[in-house]
Amino acid sequence: MELDLTWILLGLPAAFALGWLASRLDLRQMRIANRQAPRAYFKGLNYLLNEQQDKAIDAFIEAVQNDPDTSELHFALGNLFRRRGEYDRAVRVHEHLMSRADLSSADRQRAQHGLALDFLKAGLLDRAEEALRKLEGTSYEGQARLARLAIYERSREWPEAARVARLLETSGEANFDMRMAHYQCEQAREAVQQGDLPNALNLLTAAIQATPDAARPRILLGQLQLSQGQAAQAYETLSVLFERSDTAAPLAAASLVKAAQAAALTAEAAQLLKKYYAKQACIDVLDAISALESTSPEGGALSHQRYLDHLSNHASLMAATRWLTEENKGQNPLPAPVQKALEQAIRPLARYRCAACGFEAKEHFWHCPGCQAWDSYPPRRIEEL
């Protein structure tokens, strides 16, 4: 069969025209897709700026579908999910990023950090710790160690917390001496609860030697010695806080009184407390002085006058209540309803308040149960702040 040149000549232009048309259609589709992706992206940004997170998420999902290889959109989407508390979806986004073979090393570290934050916010501490460990040796190492430190403190794993604190201190993040003393104090408290008093004693002694300026180990050691009948040693341990005018000394005032009374050192203790009170007037120290003087014949009159003198310099409902109680001792006690009303009125003022989050408590905390901050409770009652 002979090939007709006429059909060949007619077919070549037709094939060229069809190829050209197909290429134009492909280019048009690419342009449409490229226009849709930025449009959805900027739409998402606009919603985000207007705090419309639901619509922003929908827009970013649309942008990701149009351009699934864009890692920045995935990061934005993962962060949005985490901020909204949709931790499962945030984890899926970051795990999808981690599974991509074409992801750069910097973006892989960033995705690993995002995944760790997802687990941390979701309260999955074991998985968060594992994810954070994988960031050792990366640019996120410091942040990861701080996050691990928070995990260990939250789960009360004090030896692990101490190890990470040393790493952070070595890398120049901060000074953790006071924090390390707290860790030893926490371990000492646990040892006391378990009946391991020698270990508690060793931990507190080591904390005092390592951090002489820390007040908490000295207070706990004095209380431990007092509970073991070592009143003279307890007095010696606690008196140092008042001699150096430590701001935390009022927290040890009641224990110092008990130690002084048991060791027959009331005169020395009263002199020490008065000296401290002259520098830093405080209701707890005043109560301690009053307790020491109460055994003397003129103790009631002295206490009455001390509270009155305190009121002349410091407006204090707590001191006023103490004065009224001393004034009406003996044959003319305050009526029970009046006493109860006064005690109820001063109860909120006698609490301690965290300076970081405002959490209030009847007892003083070294580690805030509300915001987990250390040393955020001033050693003064709310009324005296």
Side-chain angles (χ1 to χ4, degrees):
M1 182 177 177
E2 294 184 1
L3 188 62
D4 192 343
L5 293 176
T6 304
W7 288 108
I8 294 176
L9 292 174
L10 290 174
L12 285 175
F16 176 78
L18 289 172
W20 178 84
L21 184 60
S23 65
R24 297 299 297 175
L25 287 173
D26 287 341
L27 286 172
R28 185 180 178 187
Q29 288 177 351
M30 288 177 61
R31 287 170 182 168
I32 291 173
N34 289 335
R35 283 199 300 268
Q36 285 176 344
R39 187 181 299 125
Y41 179 72
F42 288 119
K43 189 193 299 183
L45 283 179
N46 184 51
Y47 286 135
L48 194 58
L49 291 172
N50 290 316
E51 298 184 358
Q52 296 175 284
Q53 293 189 8
D54 291 337
K55 293 182 178 179
I57 285 175
D58 292 338
F60 282 133
I61 289 175
E62 179 187 346
V64 167
Q65 289 172 344
N66 290 329
D67 190 3
D69 294 330
T70 305
S71 59
E72 285 299 329
L73 292 177
H74 285 78
F75 284 122
L77 199 55
N79 291 337
L80 273 175
F81 283 142
R82 186 169 62 245
R83 287 175 59 184
R84 281 178 50 82
E86 299 182 50
Y87 304 121
D88 290 343
R89 300 177 77 181
V91 166
R92 285 200 298 271
V93 169
H94 289 119
E95 285 181 338
H96 171 70
L97 277 170
M98 294 287 294
S99 67
R100 284 175 48 180
D102 62 336
L103 200 65
S104 67
S105 176
D107 281 347
R108 190 170 298 280
Q109 293 172 14
R110 184 179 172 189
Q112 182 68 39
H113 182 248
L115 185 63
L117 293 180
D118 297 338
F119 290 140
L120 194 59
K121 290 291 185 180
L124 303 173
L125 301 185
D126 290 343
R127 299 185 69 180
E129 180 190 355
E130 182 183 352
L132 290 166
R133 283 183 182 277
K134 294 178 180 178
L135 291 169
E136 287 290 320
T138 70
S139 58
Y140 293 93
E141 182 180 73
Q143 299 176 47
R145 286 176 176 175
L146 287 171
R148 283 171 59 201
L149 185 65
I151 289 174
Y152 295 139
E153 290 178 354
R154 187 173 169 182
S155 55
R156 305 185 66 80
E157 298 178 53
W158 305 118
E160 283 297 314
R163 191 177 65 80
V164 174
R166 290 191 195 96
L167 290 174
L168 285 165
E169 195 168 55
T170 303
S171 63
E173 291 288 337
N175 187 304
F176 285 89
D177 286 348
M178 286 293 180
R179 191 80 68 91
M180 298 282 282
H182 282 304
Y183 296 159
Q184 290 174 301
C185 288
E186 292 292 343
Q187 292 179 76
R189 287 183 60 190
E190 292 176 357
V192 170
Q193 291 171 359
Q194 296 166 4
D196 190 359
L197 300 184
N199 186 32
L201 182 64
N202 291 335
L203 285 165
L204 294 173
T205 303
I208 292 173
Q209 291 173 349
T211 318
D213 294 334
R216 188 187 183 190
R218 191 170 290 278
I219 293 174
L220 290 181
L221 179 59
Q223 292 171 346
L224 180 60
Q225 291 169 333
L226 188 59
S227 69
Q228 296 301 300
Q230 302 171 354
Q233 293 93 323
Y235 178 83
E236 184 180 353
T237 299
L238 297 171
S239 62
V240 174
L241 295 170
F242 295 89
E243 289 169 355
R244 67 187 187 195
S245 299
D246 197 301
T247 56
L251 299 173
S255 297
L256 183 76
V257 169
K258 292 178 182 178
Q261 290 172 337
L265 296 169
T266 53
E268 292 87 341
Q271 196 67 26
L272 184 63
L273 289 168
K274 289 174 188 176
K275 186 177 179 181
Y276 182 90
Y277 177 84
K279 295 179 180 178
Q280 300 183 45
C282 172
I283 193 70
D284 287 319
V285 177
L286 188 57
D287 286 344
I289 296 171
S290 178
L292 286 172
E293 294 178 338
S294 62
T295 55
S296 64
E298 68 279 5
L302 285 173
S303 296
H304 176 268
Q305 187 59 45
R306 288 193 187 284
Y307 287 118
L308 192 59
D309 292 342
H310 184 86
L311 284 167
S312 64
N313 297 311
H314 310 280
S316 169
L317 186 58
M318 293 173 65
T321 302
R322 307 281 201 282
W323 179 83
L324 281 171
T325 302
E326 293 292 336
E327 177 73 10
N328 293 276
K329 270 185 177 179
Q331 297 183 2
N332 298 309
L334 284 173
V338 175
Q339 186 69 39
K340 184 178 179 181
L342 287 171
E343 290 174 358
Q344 192 168 359
I346 67 172
R347 192 172 297 135
L349 302 176
R351 298 167 74 87
Y352 295 95
R353 179 189 294 151
C354 174
C357 70
F359 187 91
E360 295 182 5
K362 290 189 294 184
E363 63 177 297
H364 179 274
F365 284 106
W366 300 94
H367 189 207
C368 178
C371 65
Q372 306 297 307
W374 290 96
D375 293 317
S376 59
Y377 274 79
R380 295 295 185 105
R381 312 281 180 171
I382 288 176
E383 186 185 57
E384 297 180 306
L385 294 178

